[in-house]
Amino acid sequence: MPTKLELYQKVTPMAQLGIWEKNLITGELYCNSVMREVYEGELDFNIPLEKTIEYYTDQAAVRELFSKVILTKGIQTGNFQIITLKGNLKWVKVRAQGTFEGEKCTSFYGTLEDVTEQVNLVNTLAEREERFHRAFDYAPIGMAIVSPTGGWIKINNSLMQLLGYTEEEFLKHTFQDFTHPKDLDLDLQQMHQLLDGKIDSYSMEKRYFHKDSHVIWVQLNVSLVRSQAGGPLYFISQIRDITERKKYTEELLRERQRLDNIIKSTHVGTWEWDIPTDAVVCNKRAAAILGYTLDEIGPPFMKTWHELIHPDDREINIARLEYCFSRNIKFYASECRMRRKDGKYMWVEIRGKVISWSAGNKPLLMLGTYADIHDRKSMEQELKRTLEIISGQNGRLLNFAHIVSHNLRSHTGNMQMLLDMLIQEKDEAEKNSMMQMLIVNATNLQQTLTHLNQVVDVQGSSGHNYKHILLYQEVERTLETLSQLLKKAGATVTVNMDKAIEIEYNPAYLESILLNLITNSIKYRQPNRKLQVIITATRLSHSTIIEVKDNGLGIDMAQHGDKLFGMYKTFHGNEDARGIGLFLVKNQVEAMGGTITVESEAGVGTAFKIEFAENLW
């Protein structure tokens, strides 16, 4: 049976070609003799284009063809039915092109070919060719011709083998009889849409019952063949067995669901990174860890996620990533801080593995996870701080033990020696002298014990006896306490601070700190220069800084800076200097979580700065 292509190859050599041109400016029409033969009569050379279109049965389609010529400025082709000047119906193939001046079309021209015989022949053969195509019976997939009511008209061998029925058994049933009930409604719904002309074809996965009652999954593709008048003739169905694929797909879905359940139970965010394009796909948990939704996180690029990493952590994070990309390690892992939606930073563990590489050994695809480790890192940092505190306390305890061992041994040894001498001495005057020496040693021992007790108070106290203190009032109270000493020293004191600054602090510690720093300024003043003391306070975002500055003797920091806050360290040879004041100040400040620093120059003066951390109100 000849195909459409063979028919056209037979008919085309016999065709004659009409040539025409319509000038849209002058209205003049040109056509050759073949055109007149096709129209069966003489055409008016000045007939309007609209009048010419009236010869066509589908005038709207012809107008659309000329509209497309203007729109595309290209060649348009169409087959149309005309009524000749003698009233006969013919099919013609029209090819049209336009001439343009700028955007304006000035003329149409083209060809016209009588294709009545070809169209009639093709229409006659179309139904027969589609129904009896020789490949139908030998197709490797199941094929069937089904009536508009669902009955089987023709079934190929592949379909019979697939469902286990003979052709005779098929023809006694409709496709509904073999369809799984859960898939029937959708199948019928799409079939009716096809019959109503709402869709041209449809495709679906559905289940059929095999003759032995087991279920077969198939991929069904359906199209509808209509008659020349547009009425439905039959459905062409293609049926491919996908049972094995469905089994593997369902198993994969179960595995995926199992993995999803594991991920949900561990609260881990997952990501997939296409490295060359920087595109990234994340699950909802990845964004939720940082308080976002996936839409809020911004463009789906890894660069967006990297920008959420704390600036101080980005460099080491990139370095570890590059180390993985160089294939030095199989897995990339990084612990870093990332910015939450509320602006705060939290600790996140990022892990990943490159699963695809280019031929040039470049990373292409990476899979990974985000995990919230903020609580663990906070505990680690708290443990680290605790260990540092313990280490510091152990150091101070060891130092304290050395002090106790040295100082008490010196005092007790000296007193023991004097007592031994006192027992052996016969001269009363010498005995009295030794008794005075014992009294002096006992007094020194008492003072040493007092100092050691003060150290124990500072190092052993938690320092949590907090109270709200107006800093200015406390400074004024301390200056009032020292007023006689300041007056005797001829000192001038200037206080520059906001009277509203309030801190939360241990009142006894604050009093001790201010007394020690101001009395040090008095003790170590320049004898030939009037003492000036300046006390200032500055409020910062999370702390308050107080500075006590004087123009006294100053300290050679290069020589004594590392020993400045040591116990029993003195630097100016004052008789009343004990080297305990600054040691206590430093311990008291640090016990409250603050810091103390000093700037000093010999012969110029000294400035002590204390930062009261996180106690601002």
Side-chain angles (χ1 to χ4, degrees):
M1 184 173 295
T3 64
K4 292 179 182 179
L5 179 60
E6 292 171 339
L7 289 173
Y8 276 103
Q9 287 174 342
K10 292 179 180 178
V11 174
T12 299
M14 298 183 292
Q16 290 183 315
L17 197 63
I19 300 173
W20 58 271
E21 181 178 12
K22 181 66 177 180
N23 190 312
L24 300 179
I25 305 299
T26 65
E28 184 178 7
L29 172 69
Y30 166 77
C31 58
N32 66 355
S33 58
V34 175
M35 286 277 293
R36 291 191 288 274
E37 290 176 7
V38 172
Y39 277 88
E40 297 183 330
E42 292 289 334
L43 293 173
D44 188 348
F45 279 79
N46 294 311
I47 187 172
L49 181 63
E50 188 67 22
K51 190 70 175 176
T52 306
I53 292 176
E54 290 181 0
Y55 292 109
Y56 291 78
T57 59
D58 190 352
Q59 298 176 18
V62 179
R63 292 189 185 93
E64 183 179 359
L65 180 137
F66 284 107
S67 296
K68 287 182 178 179
V69 170
I70 296 174
L71 181 64
T72 64
K73 295 184 179 181
I75 298 172
Q76 298 294 326
T77 303
N79 286 356
F80 306 97
Q81 192 175 49
I82 66 170
I83 302 175
T84 69
L85 293 172
K86 293 182 179 180
N88 296 318
L89 291 174
K90 289 186 178 181
W91 281 94
V92 296
K93 175 176 284 188
V94 178
R95 297 180 182 87
Q97 174 66 294
T99 302
F100 295 84
E101 293 181 5
E103 295 298 319
K104 183 178 180 181
C105 182
T106 59
S107 68
F108 290 114
Y109 61 93
T111 63
L112 184 138
E113 181 181 0
D114 186 349
V115 293
T116 303
E117 290 184 10
Q118 297 96 310
V119 171
N120 290 338
L121 183 58
V122 169
N123 288 339
T124 301
L125 296 175
E127 294 176 10
R128 190 182 307 169
E129 184 178 16
E130 287 190 290
R131 183 171 179 178
F132 298 105
H133 196 284
R134 286 182 295 178
F136 180 92
D137 288 331
Y138 305 102
I141 62 173
M143 294 189 69
I145 299 175
V146 182
S147 73
T149 59
W152 304 97
I153 298 175
K154 185 173 177 60
I155 309 97
N156 74 347
N157 293 327
S158 295
L159 184 57
M160 287 186 280
Q161 293 175 7
L162 178 62
L163 297 184
Y165 293 96
T166 65
E167 184 174 8
E168 183 179 356
E169 290 171 326
F170 263 106
L171 297 178
K172 292 178 181 179
H173 296 84
T174 65
F175 79 88
Q176 292 96 322
D177 298 331
F178 299 146
T179 300
H180 194 288
K182 292 184 178 180
D183 300 331
L184 185 58
D185 287 344
L186 179 59
D187 199 354
L188 290 173
Q189 178 185 352
Q190 296 191 87
M191 184 188 75
H192 289 308
Q193 287 183 322
L194 197 58
L195 289 169
D196 294 341
K198 295 179 179 179
I199 56 175
D200 296 326
S201 62
Y202 69 89
S203 176
M204 64 177 290
E205 293 181 356
K206 63 175 290 186
R207 286 160 288 187
Y208 281 122
F209 288 110
H210 191 273
K211 185 177 181 179
D212 63 10
S213 300
H214 74 267
V215 173
I216 296 175
W217 274 98
V218 301
Q219 176 71 46
L220 174 66
N221 296 282
V222 181
S223 58
L224 177 64
V225 176
R226 295 181 180 274
S227 67
Q228 280 292 105
L233 293 176
Y234 47 81
F235 298 104
I236 300 292
S237 298
Q238 296 177 318
I239 303 162
R240 182 163 55 91
D241 186 1
I242 59 168
T243 304
E244 287 299 312
R245 191 193 78 184
K246 287 292 291 186
K247 182 175 68 175
Y248 293 137
T249 300
E250 289 173 357
E251 180 62 28
L252 182 62
L253 287 174
R254 284 193 293 271
E255 290 295 327
R256 186 181 184 91
Q257 186 61 50
R258 190 177 298 116
L259 178 61
D260 286 343
N261 292 336
I262 293 172
I263 290 172
K264 288 177 181 178
S265 66
T266 56
H267 302 290
V268 172
T270 63
W271 49 269
E272 180 179 317
W273 182 19
D274 187 299
I275 300 170
T277 65
D278 196 45
V280 62
V281 177
C282 300
N283 69 349
K284 293 180 180 180
R285 178 61 187 166
I289 286 175
L290 300 175
Y292 293 94
T293 64
L294 285 175
D295 291 335
E296 291 173 333
I297 207 71
F301 297 113
M302 186 58 77
K303 179 182 177 183
T304 306
W305 290 83
H306 282 174
E307 288 173 350
L308 295 175
I309 297 175
H310 194 288
D312 294 344
D313 299 339
R314 287 177 192 166
E315 187 173 344
I316 188 170
N317 182 70
I318 293 173
R320 288 176 178 172
L321 197 58
E322 291 297 332
Y323 196 61
C324 178
F325 287 172
S326 62
R327 307 197 84 160
N328 289 305
I329 52 175
K330 291 184 178 180
F331 295 92
Y332 151 76
S334 176
E335 294 181 354
C336 60
R337 290 161 292 177
M338 296 186 71
R339 188 176 69 251
R340 290 175 49 85
K341 183 180 178 180
D342 59 13
K344 296 180 180 179
Y345 282 92
M346 66 176 292
W347 281 97
V348 174
E349 181 185 52
I350 310 174
R351 300 183 67 85
K353 186 178 188 297
V354 177
I355 63 168
S356 178
W357 300 83
S358 71
N361 216 25
K362 298 293 183 182
L364 298 176
L365 183 64
M366 192 174 197
L367 304 182
T369 61
Y370 289 113
D372 180 357
I373 60 168
H374 192 73
D375 289 343
R376 174 170 68 80
K377 290 295 290 187
S378 297
M379 291 177 64
E380 288 176 0
Q381 291 175 337
E382 183 62 30
L383 179 61
K384 182 179 178 182
R385 284 193 294 269
T386 302
L387 291 175
E388 288 173 350
I389 292 172
I390 293 172
S391 177
Q393 288 176 339
N394 287 340
R396 289 193 293 272
L397 183 60
L398 182 61
N399 183 46
F400 181 74
H402 288 316
I403 293 170
V404 171
S405 174
H406 177 270
N407 290 1
L408 292 186
R409 186 169 61 248
S410 298
H411 288 299
T412 56
N414 195 33
M415 292 177 70
Q416 182 64 51
M417 183 179 64
L418 285 170
L419 286 171
D420 290 343
M421 291 173 62
L422 182 62
I423 293 171
Q424 298 175 10
E425 185 60 54
K426 303 297 183 181
D427 190 326
E428 289 298 324
E430 283 296 323
K431 284 186 176 182
N432 289 334
S433 176
M434 289 180 184
M435 287 297 295
Q436 292 299 318
M437 292 175 68
L438 277 171
I439 292 171
V440 171
N441 271 272
T443 302
N444 290 338
L445 176 60
Q446 181 63 41
Q447 188 177 36
T448 296
L449 291 172
T450 301
H451 290 165
L452 293 175
N453 189 57
Q454 289 174 324
V455 173
V456 171
D457 286 343
V458 173
Q459 295 184 348
S461 172
S462 64
H464 292 165
N465 185 21
Y466 292 119
K467 287 187 178 180
H468 302 314
I469 300 172
L470 284 170
L471 191 56
Y472 180 82
Q473 288 184 1
E474 187 61 28
V475 170
E476 287 294 310
R477 192 177 70 81
T478 304
L479 292 175
E480 185 178 348
T481 302
L482 299 174
S483 59
Q484 292 303 314
L485 285 174
L486 290 167
K487 183 177 181 181
K488 183 178 179 180
T492 300
V493 181
T494 304
V495 180
N496 294 322
M497 66 178 67
D498 185 348
K499 295 182 180 180
I501 293 178
E502 187 177 8
I503 62 173
E504 188 183 24
Y505 217 69
N506 185 310
Y509 281 10
L510 182 58
E511 179 183 22
S512 173
I513 291 166
L514 292 173
L515 283 170
N516 272 297
L517 294 181
I518 298 172
T519 54
N520 269 5
S521 295
I522 297 171
K523 288 179 184 179
Y524 307 116
R525 63 186 182 275
Q526 283 277 13
N528 58 351
R529 185 166 60 201
K530 184 176 181 179
L531 175 61
Q532 291 184 343
V533 180
I534 302 173
I535 304 173
T536 59
T538 306
R539 189 190 340 237
L540 303 179
S541 58
H542 296 290
S543 63
T544 297
I545 294 178
I546 186 170
E547 180 183 62
V548 179
K549 183 177 182 182
D550 64 48
N551 62 343
L553 293 173
I555 302 168
D556 186 344
M557 296 298 290
Q559 184 178 357
H560 303 299
D562 58 335
K563 303 185 291 289
L564 186 61
F565 295 104
M567 191 173 183
Y568 295 132
K569 301 298 182 181
T570 60
F571 312 105
H572 296 100
N574 290 32
E575 292 183 2
D576 59 345
R578 294 293 182 268
I580 196 71
L582 290 180
F583 177 83
L584 289 173
V585 168
K586 185 174 189 295
N587 277 266
Q588 288 167 336
V589 169
E590 291 180 349
M592 296 296 290
T595 59
I596 181 169
T597 57
V598 60
E599 295 177 2
S600 187
E601 183 178 350
V604 177
T606 304
F608 288 94
K609 289 184 179 179
I610 298 171
E611 182 172 4
F612 304 105
E614 299 295 336
N615 295 316
L616 180 62
W617 283 73

